[in-house]
Amino acid sequence: MSENQGQISAFPTKSFFVDMLVRDIPLEQAVLDLVDNCIDGAKRLRGEDSNDLSGLRVEIQFSKEKFSIKDNCGGFDRQTAQMYAFRFGRPKGFNSTKHSIGQFGVGMKRALFKFGHEFLVQSRTQEESWAVRVDVPKWEAEENDWVFPWSEYEGGHEISDSPGTYIEVTKLRKGTATSFGTKVFENRIISSIKSKHRQFISFGMEIFVNGNRVDAADLKFFSTATLKPVVENFVFDEDGLEPVRIRIVVGISDSIPKSAGWYVVCNGRVILDADRREETGWGVVEDNADRPSLPSFHNQYSRFRGIVYFDSDDSSRVPWNTMKTDIDEDSLVWQRAYERMIVLARHVLDFINKLDSEIEDYGREKSPLMRLIRNAPKSSVDVLKTDQAFKAPDKSSVEEAPPTIKIQYSRPIEEIEFLKSALGVDSARAVGERTFEIVLERNRG
């Protein structure tokens, strides 16, 4: 065989590779990927199971000119940069952070290419420091050279002179620059971090976006002696693989339609929030009538809250997709949890239906169940960790009021004003109630 009839090269061009890498990821998600890396650094620094991230800080700045993010989460060494951080994908045998949320080895690179055409990444640990600066068009032009060059560590970007990582992207893509220059995008990033990283913020980590501190969005359930959310813990094991610990909490909270639905959390990172799709069981018609199912969501269920936690030392075991924006429905871990989600949710929805029916009979103000809920304290989901069954109040546990029906009628204004004066009341409603009482007493007597 002649030389020109040898092997066919399938080597990708850099420009094609970069364009495909960034095409489908939303800009907002690319920013969150970089925050994920900061959190993994915090886990390495404080320990994978630590609930104390106080003193650790992430600062994000962006405008139509540039993007930057820095942290004081301990940094990572030159070997990690060389063998993992700048590789496209996770090399076999690399010992990644246990319980990490940066799973697939593409988040940082994908974000850098998504943002712009020149970037600087530098990091300092207690022992060493390093930097990489890349002119992307120049790097793309060198088709057969896939390495990133070392650069001089510049310093000057540390938080309180603590070890950490600094990333800066300039020469922004046009669409990126336009988004980074708007207050709308800034508010979206703040809202996303508040939701997606609530657990780490509640552990004490401080995150700032363009100087604005992000607070955690707390998730709470009504919890009393007679009304308790269900909590169920179990472990999914497969031979030779790291186990996945699953915790499901389902109950009721304030009537807020936009907050109702399922929340899915993988290794502390919120993947879905207030999800009401078929993917999480809503409106799925089961062929087997003996199996529980959920109705399609409507505002009657605006009090429903369900949270599913997946935790594993091996982040590839939890059921998220590569962009951490949805669940992997084909995952056996997800399928096992899904079965229990439907069963546990059904009990809560049955109670919500009962509550709704009682409100129709008694009215919202006089419904015994509604009165109990209105005065009930709430507990944060973070403290609901011990197994317990769903508990809902029955008729014996609440003071039951007789059913009521609303009476409405209209009369001339001068007649209503005359009766207000005669009866010593100050509203048309009071006139109606008092005249009804007089007639009732007269006929009963």
Side-chain angles (χ1 to χ4, degrees):
M1 181 180 293
S2 63
E3 185 176 343
N4 63 0
Q5 292 179 316
Q7 294 179 331
I8 299 172
S9 174
F11 211 69
T13 65
K14 288 182 179 179
S15 58
F16 172 81
F17 181 82
V18 169
D19 287 344
M20 293 302 295
L21 186 67
V22 306
R23 183 178 299 272
D24 294 328
I25 185 172
L27 190 59
E28 178 182 327
Q29 183 58 43
V31 175
L32 295 179
D33 278 348
L34 295 181
V35 179
D36 289 347
N37 290 342
C38 299
I39 292 170
D40 280 346
K43 290 183 175 184
R44 289 191 297 270
L45 186 66
R46 295 287 172 86
E48 296 86 359
D49 298 322
S50 175
N51 292 343
D52 180 13
L53 301 181
S54 57
L56 300 183
R57 184 180 177 111
V58 179
E59 296 180 8
I60 304 167
Q61 292 280 343
F62 52 80
S63 67
K64 61 183 180 180
E65 282 80 32
K66 76 173 186 177
F67 171 94
S68 69
I69 181 170
K70 61 182 176 181
D71 66 50
N72 62 345
C73 298
F76 55 102
D77 58 30
R78 185 179 291 257
Q79 183 182 19
T80 301
Q82 193 170 25
M83 300 301 296
Y84 174 65
F86 287 94
R87 294 282 298 274
F88 292 99
R90 174 185 287 178
K92 289 184 178 180
F94 184 83
N95 294 322
S96 61
T97 304
K98 288 185 177 181
H99 203 257
S100 69
I101 54 177
Q103 176 195 351
F104 298 99
V106 296
M108 183 182 73
K109 284 80 66 179
R110 184 164 55 186
L112 298 178
F113 289 129
K114 178 78 174 181
F115 294 167
H117 301 294
E118 185 172 308
F119 61 81
L120 165 70
V121 181
Q122 61 180 27
S123 192
R124 179 168 70 87
T125 68
Q126 294 287 3
E127 291 78 27
E128 61 177 320
S129 60
W130 57 267
V132 168
R133 183 181 289 277
V134 176
D135 182 320
V136 176
K138 182 178 178 181
W139 179 79
E140 286 181 340
E142 299 171 354
E143 285 290 353
N144 296 319
D145 185 0
W146 282 74
V147 301
F148 292 115
W150 294 111
S151 184
E152 290 294 323
Y153 181 81
E154 298 178 6
H157 300 291
E158 294 85 353
I159 297 176
S160 302
D161 199 34
S162 300
T165 300
Y166 174 75
I167 295 175
E168 178 182 286
V169 186
T170 53
K171 298 181 181 178
L172 301 179
R173 292 172 180 253
K174 289 183 179 180
T176 299
T178 299
S179 294
F180 282 173
T182 66
K183 191 68 175 178
V184 171
F185 184 79
E186 178 183 307
N187 291 338
R188 281 169 49 198
I189 291 297
I190 291 173
S191 178
S192 293
I193 292 174
K194 179 182 293 190
S195 168
K196 304 298 184 183
H197 296 100
R198 60 164 298 276
Q199 179 172 305
F200 309 110
I201 296 173
S202 69
F203 288 167
M205 173 172 276
E206 295 181 295
I207 303 179
F208 291 81
V209 176
N210 285 348
N212 300 300
R213 178 171 175 162
V214 182
D215 297 320
D218 202 6
L219 297 172
K220 293 185 175 183
F221 292 82
F222 287 119
S223 183
T224 70
T226 57
L227 176 60
K228 294 182 179 181
V230 58
V231 182
E232 183 169 296
N233 294 274
F234 56 97
V235 177
F236 184 85
D237 264 320
E238 288 184 276
D239 290 342
L241 299 174
E242 286 286 346
V244 181
R245 298 170 295 280
I246 302 170
R247 174 165 62 109
I248 304 176
V249 184
V250 192
I252 67 170
S253 189
D254 294 314
S255 179
I256 306 175
K258 69 177 183 179
S259 300
W262 283 107
Y263 294 72
V264 176
V265 185
C266 292
N267 278 4
R269 167 72 139 76
V270 177
I271 306 305
L272 298 179
D273 48 6
D275 193 276
R276 303 183 286 269
R277 302 172 300 155
E278 287 189 1
E279 285 78 359
T280 52
W282 293 98
V284 176
V285 178
E286 291 284 358
D287 294 332
N288 186 346
D290 294 332
R291 297 181 61 181
S293 60
L294 305 185
S296 296
F297 181 86
H298 50 82
N299 285 348
Q300 177 182 337
Y301 301 121
S302 61
R303 294 184 178 278
F304 176 90
R305 303 290 189 278
I307 306 175
V308 192
Y309 293 89
F310 298 91
D311 288 283
S312 179
D313 287 347
D314 181 355
S315 60
S316 68
R317 296 278 291 138
V318 295
W320 50 18
N321 65 4
T322 60
M323 289 191 291
K324 289 168 279 192
T325 56
D326 210 338
I327 46 92
D328 175 10
E329 293 183 81
D330 295 327
S331 163
L332 292 177
V333 176
W334 170 256
Q335 292 171 14
R336 171 69 184 281
Y338 178 90
E339 294 174 358
R340 295 304 302 159
M341 288 164 59
I342 304 305
V343 171
L344 301 180
R346 189 65 263 178
H347 298 305
V348 176
L349 294 182
D350 288 345
F351 172 72
I352 292 176
N353 288 335
K354 177 182 176 183
L355 172 63
D356 191 61
S357 176
E358 188 185 271
I359 289 173
E360 288 185 7
D361 291 340
Y362 291 89
R364 183 169 295 275
E365 294 301 319
K366 295 187 177 181
S367 160
L369 288 177
M370 192 66 238
R371 190 164 59 250
L372 182 147
I373 290 172
R374 191 180 297 118
N375 299 321
K378 292 193 286 287
S379 295
S380 171
V381 68
D382 296 328
V383 303
L384 297 170
K385 296 183 177 180
T386 304
D387 283 5
Q388 63 183 32
F390 178 68
K391 187 173 184 180
D394 55 27
K395 289 187 177 181
S396 63
S397 64
V398 293
E399 181 184 348
E400 188 170 354
T404 62
I405 186 169
K406 182 177 290 186
I407 300 174
Q408 289 181 310
Y409 58 89
S410 300
R411 288 293 182 268
I413 293 177
E414 61 270 18
E415 294 179 1
I416 297 295
E417 292 298 325
F418 173 79
L419 286 176
K420 283 169 62 176
S421 177
L423 297 171
V425 297
D426 58 6
S427 69
R429 176 176 177 175
V431 168
E433 291 175 344
R434 183 62 185 135
T435 53
F436 180 87
E437 291 168 359
I438 291 171
V439 173
L440 181 64
E441 291 172 4
R442 182 181 302 163
N443 285 275
R444 277 180 171 173

